[in-house]
Amino acid sequence: MRQLAWGAGIVAVLIAVNVLLRPLINPYVAQVIVLCGINVILAVSLNLVNGFTGQFSIGHAGFMALGAYGSAMFSLHVGMRWVAALEAMRVPAPLAEGAALLVALALGGLLAALAGYLVGLPSLRLRGDYLAIVTLGFGEIIRVLILNVDAVGAARGLPGIPAWVNFFWVGVGVAAVILLSRHLAASTHGRALFAIRDDEVAAEALGVDTTSYKVLAFVLGAFFAGVAGGLFAHFLSYLNPNSFTFIKSIEVIAMVVLGGMGSISGAVLAAIILTLLPEVLRPVKDYRMVIYSLMLIVLMITRPGGLLGSREISLAWLVRRLRPSRERA
Amino acid sequence: MPEFLQQLVNGITWGSVYALIALGYTMVYGILRLINFAHGDVYMLGAFFAFYAARITGAAVDPNPLKATGILLIAMIGCGIVGFLIERFAYKPVRRSSRLAALITAIGVSLLLENGGQLLFGADPKFFPQIIRATNIPLGMGVTISNQQIIILVVSIALMLGLRFIVMNTRAGKAMRAVSYSHTAASLMGISVDRIITFTFVLGSMLAAAAGVLVALQNPKIEPYMGIMPGLKAFVAAVLGGIGNIPGAVLGGMVMGIAEVMVVGYLSPTWRDAIAFVLLILILLVRPQGLLGQPPAEKV
Amino acid sequence: MRSRYRLRPAAAGVLVAALALAGCGRSTTDELVIGEYGSLTGGDATFGQSTKAGVEVALDELVAQKQGKIGGMAVRVVVEDDQGRPEEAASVVQKLINQDQVIAVVGEVASSRSLAGGPICQQNGVPMISPSSTNPGVTQVGDFIFRMCYLDDFQGQVMARFTGQTLGLKRVAMLKDIKNDYSVALAEFFTEEFVKNGGTVEIEQSYQSGDQDYRAQLTAIKARNPQAIILPGYYTEAGLIARQARELGLTVPLIGGDGWESEKLIEIGGEAMDGCYYANHWSLDQPNAKLQEFLTAYRAKFKGDPDAIGGLAYDAATVLFRSMEKLAAEDPAAFAGLGSSKAGTEARKAATRKLRDLIAATADYEGATGTVTLDENRNPKKPIVMIAVKGGKKVFETSIAP
């Protein structure tokens, strides 16, 4: 019952934010906010694989691409017709578009999840660096596949995707992935994942079905990456395979590592920082990528645990920080 | 048949380039268990150093093999220094941290080299001058090979043999092999692990630089991002042959080069990048230790 | 440790705020802000750089003749680099329109990037003039999109007729850039016309822009022994492909489109370019008074020769300025809406709409690249100049009118 109340509350807040903020913010800032949100979803979903389970995956952009193209194709060929039909029946536009978007996102996510399953199953026999490179390879293969399919625009890109995404839907995605992650972290399944991360051989010896759990993490991570991709597609209205190279995968990894592997709030924080940074650095645009890469290096040298390590930002922690303390340990 | 043979010639030429780059990857991985993402960018720097060296020495206007060799050496030394700096300032501090931190650092260095290169050299591609006059040599049966391709083959083989000599027949080489087995044991035997690691990096970087110069001879367009794909493919080649295994890197490089050229010529060029990864996945699923590697024992 | 931790986010926050505010700076005097986007960096960087240069020459002219003002307001051009990537093009156009609040946009050269930026301009009612995007789809995006150059269906036909009739070649090979809208479409237009007139395309191969090595494709082409290779790509690849073709013993002519136009073409291709032909918007030795004027001004400013891209950009900017002047003269009240202080108001929307109408009415404009009269689809009808490369120089071969 409490969870339902929480859920309804979050939805209400998001609707309010969307309705009130949209006319006030100029579209460029809005674009940055939406991209922040999408990156948060990507980072938190990758955190499930890299942070919770300790599996090193560099192919996330491939799952995002599948979700993006899958949902876009659905919307272009089926979704838009549904919306037209619904609107003819006097259903208000936001509701109709929202419904179609929900289905599109779900389909995109499922497609990505399926790929996650297919990639995960054989690869998870491998360890560490090998797994990393194989996932990188899968990500690239997916990209090359898209490059070769004319029906999705191949190298020229896919334009004309209906722009149904607004703050509300991004907020729903962000809330969903964060809530799922927290739920998972607190559950027995989460414990199994952490066990695998800490010492896989010991976990196996203690009866944890490591393969199933690793695949589970992969599939969940891929699903949300697909959802993020779908949001990306329905926001930008235009898809190009170049947006999904392994450099994108690396950007997401940087977010997870910056935030601290295993920390959900860390991933969120880092995603926001790393999305804002290139925009903020636009005035020094010639130097921005150099600064970005220097920051990565300096960060890894000085604070390899990331900003938050494996800790989370919680209300109690914030209160402790802000309250004037008598003694500091 | 002539088409196939010609493709084979093209493939072997590219294969030797991949082999040179793969050698650096495999050596560093053997010693540090680190995938040096920045290695491909050292290859790029080699090409650029040679470009500026050629400009300064005026080799473009007056091509002669002596100057060309000098340019090669300049590039190799320059990149050796770069390799030293990278190891010292970026990788050494994270040696004690997790593998992931080291990997991210490597990625950061790679991005730094690429974007820094773009800042320094400008983003539009430069065109490497012809420091050796190009001639075509028909081999009969409709196959031609250019003298540049021959140079690539000869120089690559020479460098690979040189490396093998160093690794097998010198003390430093022996030390390298020892360190790749176990840092602790090697240091207990009196080997300065730090110095050997630096030495390995420098050696690998010099090979990558040579590869860069050789490629620039044949494919004159050079730009700051030129190292990403060849670097990745060379890494796959190293894994293909058995990572940490030097002859394996050479074999892997050859297989990679030939496979890629065949796919592009007979299938479709859009699959060019994917073939590397398809090969990778196949080998990792079928024989993860690579063609020439040994199955790793898993220690608990 | 603790103090370091607390200081860093705070410092970062201050930095972010400072930079954000700096980015939002707005000038106090009313000005006319024009946006320009192009590939200043990337594989086809000369395209963007030439565009920038051409627009600068036009701006210099405005400064010399009218103190850089139209209707009493100073003109300012904001240039953005899209790095040669369509996603980035969409992003910078968004920024130009929403952040800099430009009244019009000049760009892009590459059709795929114009196709990315065009819908955004159309949606926001901001006129966009592409100097040299030749893909027919670009102006089909909407009535706010214009271009200064001929179209690819025409270009493909001309290339086909030149190859088939003028050069008398019947069997060719096609090597197109599969990553590039322009190249793919141009290849189709060529093939359609060439086959219609009895020629055959013996083999079709493709590459991706950014590739370095084309030997595999060229070897396959050589095996079929064509009389020419059609190369509807951009100059960087054209030069490299020519070189590698000659190295493989392929001596047949290569034929391309206006994507070859760059001063780097010969630099890259060297001797391999001799005996090749390509379709272009002008030839520098043409007896066109405006062209020669532009040439003098350009040479004085930049110490080198412009390419057709620069000339077309000059024309695009000049057409824009002329239309703005017309609006200032005919309807000063509406014109005031173009001022930077009116950004986001109804007056601005009305003003840009009127500006669009005036641009659309451009007729008999004598430009550096020829006479421009825009038709109902906002395209001009311009002749194509075939350029031959002889002895390392670009030489006028023939001109074909629509």
Side-chain angles (χ1 to χ4, degrees):
Chain A
M1 217 31 234
R2 233 183 67 176
Q3 295 196 352
L4 222 55
W6 265 105
I10 291 179
V11 168
V13 166
L14 287 175
I15 294 182
V17 161
N18 190 39
V19 166
L20 294 176
L21 270 186
R22 199 145 46 127
L24 291 178
I25 297 190
N26 96 46
Y28 174 65
V29 174
Q31 173 174 293
V32 175
I33 294 180
V34 168
L35 286 175
C36 267
I38 292 177
N39 281 336
V40 165
I41 301 178
L42 284 171
V44 176
S45 65
L46 186 61
N47 190 41
L48 286 175
V49 179
N50 283 18
F52 281 14
T53 327
Q55 300 304 302
F56 198 16
S57 161
I58 327 186
H60 230 50
F63 299 133
M64 185 187 177
L66 281 176
Y69 274 91
S71 59
M73 290 305 281
F74 169 79
S75 297
L76 282 175
H77 295 276
V78 178
M80 298 214 303
R81 267 187 276 143
W82 282 8
V83 171
L86 283 173
E87 283 181 351
M89 296 195 285
R90 299 258 191 255
V91 175
L95 229 55
E97 290 173 0
L101 182 64
L102 215 52
V103 177
L105 290 179
L107 285 177
L110 283 172
L111 183 62
L114 181 64
Y117 184 74
L118 293 173
V119 169
L121 218 38
S123 325
L124 291 167
R125 286 196 276 142
L126 305 163
R127 296 288 160 77
D129 300 338
Y130 286 134
L131 177 63
I133 298 297
V134 163
T135 50
L136 179 68
F138 269 114
E140 280 293 288
I141 291 180
I142 291 176
R143 182 182 65 88
V144 171
L145 264 168
I146 295 177
L147 212 61
N148 275 292
V149 175
D150 231 22
V152 296
R156 290 149 3 242
L158 188 64
I161 307 171
W164 290 333
V165 162
N166 50 32
F167 291 146
F168 175 71
W169 289 109
V170 174
V172 166
V174 169
V177 75
I178 293 181
L179 285 175
L180 180 102
S181 294
R182 292 190 56 167
H183 229 85
L184 197 61
S187 72
T188 25
H189 304 295
R191 270 183 212 296
L193 296 176
F194 291 134
I196 297 175
R197 174 189 68 190
D198 290 336
D199 189 331
E200 190 168 333
V201 179
E204 184 85 40
L206 285 170
V208 173
D209 184 352
T210 52
T211 314
S212 305
Y213 273 108
K214 286 198 276 189
V215 172
L216 176 71
F218 242 83
V219 166
L220 281 176
F223 176 78
F224 280 104
V227 168
L231 287 169
F232 181 75
H234 290 81
F235 176 70
L236 228 51
S237 273
Y238 168 74
L239 281 181
N240 189 300
N242 279 339
S243 310
F244 305 107
T245 61
F246 76 93
I247 297 203
K248 180 86 196 165
S249 296
I250 287 175
E251 284 173 19
V252 183
I253 293 222
M255 291 174 204
V256 173
V257 175
L258 173 60
M261 302 256 290
S263 165
I264 301 173
S265 26
V268 171
L269 208 60
I272 295 178
I273 293 178
L274 287 182
T275 314
L276 289 181
L277 203 60
E279 298 302 323
V280 155
L281 289 176
R282 250 188 219 276
V284 287
K285 64 177 97 153
D286 287 339
Y287 296 87
R288 81 175 170 168
M289 285 314 285
V290 174
I291 297 179
Y292 183 86
S293 40
L294 272 172
M295 287 189 67
L296 270 184
I297 299 175
V298 167
L299 191 79
M300 284 299 107
I301 294 179
T302 55
R303 205 181 163 84
L307 285 174
L308 291 178
S310 50
R311 304 192 304 264
E312 302 282 352
I313 296 180
S314 68
L315 225 47
W317 179 88
L318 271 172
V319 166
R320 247 188 304 136
R321 280 256 125 143
L322 295 175
R323 200 196 282 154
S325 55
R326 281 154 266 136
E327 30 72 36
R328 290 280 194 185
Chain B
M1 190 55 177
E3 187 184 340
F4 178 75
L5 286 176
Q6 181 73 64
Q7 300 284 30
L8 207 60
V9 167
N10 298 339
I12 293 180
T13 316
W14 265 110
S16 28
V17 171
Y18 285 143
L20 276 180
I21 309 176
L23 282 169
Y25 267 117
T26 225
M27 290 196 300
V28 168
Y29 189 84
I31 285 214
L32 277 181
R33 302 281 178 273
L34 167 75
I35 303 172
N36 181 9
F37 262 105
H39 198 57
D41 302 293
V42 174
Y43 151 94
M44 174 268 292
L45 283 178
F48 271 91
F49 285 160
F51 172 76
Y52 287 110
R55 265 240 213 122
I56 296 177
T57 61
V61 208
D62 166 38
N64 93 46
L66 207 61
K67 270 199 194 158
T69 320
I71 290 175
L72 180 64
L73 285 171
I74 294 177
M76 285 172 75
I77 294 174
C79 284
I81 298 177
V82 169
F84 171 79
L85 292 172
I86 294 177
E87 197 277 317
R88 180 75 181 65
F89 290 111
Y91 293 153
K92 188 148 176 223
V94 289
R95 237 189 265 164
R96 303 266 169 266
S97 325
S98 69
R99 292 263 281 281
L100 196 51
L103 202 66
I104 302 287
T105 312
I107 292 175
V109 173
S110 170
L111 288 175
L112 183 64
L113 288 178
E114 285 155 21
N115 292 295
Q118 185 164 294
L119 214 58
L120 263 177
F121 309 133
D124 29 316
K126 308 258 177 299
F127 295 89
F128 200 77
Q130 290 218 326
I131 57 179
I132 301 202
R133 228 175 252 307
T135 48
N136 295 340
I137 301 154
L139 291 177
M141 294 200 281
V143 178
T144 45
I145 190 167
S146 72
N147 62 337
Q148 288 157 343
Q149 283 177 304
I150 294 182
I151 291 175
I152 293 179
L153 282 167
V154 167
V155 174
S156 311
I157 295 178
L159 287 172
M160 288 185 240
L161 288 174
L163 182 71
R164 188 171 174 79
F165 178 79
I166 293 180
V167 171
M168 289 297 166
N169 298 49
T170 64
R171 286 189 61 167
K174 203 179 270 190
M176 276 170 65
R177 281 180 284 144
V179 173
S180 74
Y181 272 118
S182 161
H183 287 217
T184 334
S187 71
L188 284 174
M189 292 295 122
I191 295 176
S192 162
V193 172
D194 278 352
R195 240 195 267 158
I196 292 299
I197 291 180
T198 308
F199 178 68
T200 312
F201 257 94
V202 170
L203 213 53
S205 304
M206 288 175 73
L207 288 176
V213 178
L214 291 174
V215 169
L217 267 184
Q218 185 187 238
N219 291 25
K221 178 174 96 162
I222 60 174
E223 36 115 22
Y225 292 95
M226 68 186 266
I228 301 180
M229 264 302 153
L232 223 49
K233 290 180 191 168
F235 179 76
V236 174
V239 173
L240 198 58
I243 193 127
N245 184 313
I246 288 179
V250 177
L251 179 63
M254 284 300 170
V255 171
M256 182 62 100
I258 296 175
E260 184 176 311
V261 165
M262 291 301 169
V263 161
V264 172
Y266 291 107
L267 222 92
S268 156
T270 34
W271 292 102
R272 149 177 266 144
D273 290 344
I275 186 67
F277 295 107
V278 170
L279 276 176
L280 174 74
I281 290 167
L282 279 175
I283 200 79
L284 283 180
L285 291 181
V286 168
R287 196 185 153 87
Q289 63 269 30
L291 293 169
L292 296 182
Q294 271 107 27
E298 208 182 315
K299 302 208 192 92
V300 183
Chain C
M1 185 69 167
R2 193 156 279 160
S3 54
R4 204 169 16 137
Y5 180 36
R6 244 199 293 223
L7 207 49
R8 227 183 288 149
V14 167
L15 187 65
V16 168
L19 284 172
L21 284 176
C24 289
R26 218 162 278 205
S27 64
T28 43
T29 49
D30 235 358
E31 10 166 57
L32 299 163
V33 187
I34 298 183
E36 184 197 319
Y37 71 115
S39 51
L40 297 173
T41 56
D44 44 23
T46 62
F47 285 169
Q49 289 162 4
S50 292
T51 311
K52 181 158 175 273
V55 171
E56 278 177 22
V57 173
L59 198 57
D60 282 352
E61 231 177 63
L62 192 68
V63 167
Q65 290 167 2
K66 308 227 169 81
Q67 297 97 47
K69 294 198 179 154
I70 296 181
M73 290 195 267
V75 171
R76 183 162 69 91
V77 177
V78 178
V79 182
E80 286 290 342
D81 177 17
D82 61 27
Q83 302 171 24
R85 289 157 47 204
E87 335 67 91
E88 194 67 21
S91 193
V92 299
V93 170
Q94 279 276 18
K95 176 196 171 276
L96 283 172
I97 292 182
N98 292 309
Q99 192 90 319
D100 303 291
Q101 324 233 300
V102 297
I103 58 174
V105 174
V106 172
E108 229 252 25
V109 171
S111 300
S112 45
R113 304 196 280 271
S114 289
L115 284 170
I120 302 172
C121 291
Q122 178 68 29
Q123 235 174 25
N124 287 286
V126 172
M128 174 176 124
I129 308 185
S130 165
S132 41
S133 281
T134 45
N135 187 299
V138 171
T139 40
Q140 284 165 8
V141 167
D143 61 351
F144 272 86
I145 317 295
F146 305 84
R147 75 174 101 212
M148 287 289 110
C149 56
Y150 55 71
L151 274 67
D152 274 333
D153 46 4
F154 179 47
Q155 181 164 223
Q157 284 165 8
V158 165
M159 283 166 63
R161 275 184 251 146
F162 180 78
T163 312
Q165 275 124 46
T166 318
L167 293 180
L169 307 172
K170 290 294 170 207
R171 283 175 27 248
V172 299
M174 172 71 74
L175 183 54
K176 62 184 177 188
D177 179 351
I178 213 175
K179 243 188 177 177
N180 191 338
D181 287 285
Y182 159 83
S183 186
V184 171
L186 187 54
E188 272 172 28
F189 288 126
F190 173 92
T191 307
E192 213 184 291
E193 179 79 7
F194 193 67
V195 168
K196 203 166 72 170
N197 291 329
T200 44
V201 177
E202 293 282 330
I203 177 174
E204 242 191 61
Q205 284 279 330
S206 53
Y207 62 92
Q208 298 179 69
S209 34
D211 274 356
Q212 302 247 14
D213 190 81
Y214 314 91
R215 287 194 175 77
Q217 294 93 320
L218 288 169
T219 305
I221 287 178
K222 184 172 168 200
R224 302 294 272 272
N225 210 0
Q227 293 170 308
I229 306 179
I230 314 297
L231 206 52
Y234 287 159
Y235 63 92
T236 326
E237 283 81 31
L240 290 173
I241 290 174
R243 277 214 202 188
Q244 291 179 5
R246 304 313 182 216
E247 279 173 23
L248 281 171
L250 269 169
T251 50
V252 295
L254 276 56
I255 304 182
D258 68 320
W260 286 27
E261 171 67 340
S262 164
E263 75 261 20
K264 292 235 173 225
L265 180 71
I266 313 266
E267 192 186 313
I268 300 172
E271 292 171 346
M273 300 304 313
D274 281 345
C276 296
Y277 303 90
Y278 70 101
N280 199 8
H281 308 269
W282 77 12
S283 178
L284 282 180
D285 41 4
Q286 265 176 315
N288 171 346
K290 269 303 240 161
L291 194 166
Q292 300 302 328
E293 248 180 67
F294 172 69
L295 207 51
T296 321
Y298 189 96
R299 281 178 176 150
K301 187 175 168 94
F302 291 108
K303 322 226 170 326
D305 277 352
D307 54 26
I309 312 292
L312 286 166
Y314 167 82
D315 283 343
T318 313
V319 161
L320 181 59
F321 293 158
R322 297 251 177 111
S323 308
M324 285 158 69
E325 278 164 16
K326 240 177 157 213
L327 185 61
E330 287 176 10
D331 194 346
F335 178 78
L338 292 180
S340 48
S341 58
K342 300 281 189 309
T345 61
E346 279 307 310
R348 168 64 76 85
K349 284 213 162 73
T352 46
R353 183 128 263 286
K354 290 218 150 110
L355 182 60
R356 181 225 88 85
D357 294 337
L358 284 172
I359 300 175
T362 304
D364 295 316
Y365 159 72
E366 299 282 333
T369 59
T371 315
V372 171
T373 300
L374 294 177
D375 63 18
E376 69 274 6
N377 294 319
R378 300 167 303 287
N379 303 316
K381 287 227 177 327
K382 293 168 91 176
I384 293 186
V385 174
M386 290 304 293
I387 306 272
V389 181
K390 296 190 177 139
K393 294 231 176 304
K394 298 177 189 169
V395 165
F396 172 88
E397 178 80 6
T398 178
S399 169
I400 301 164

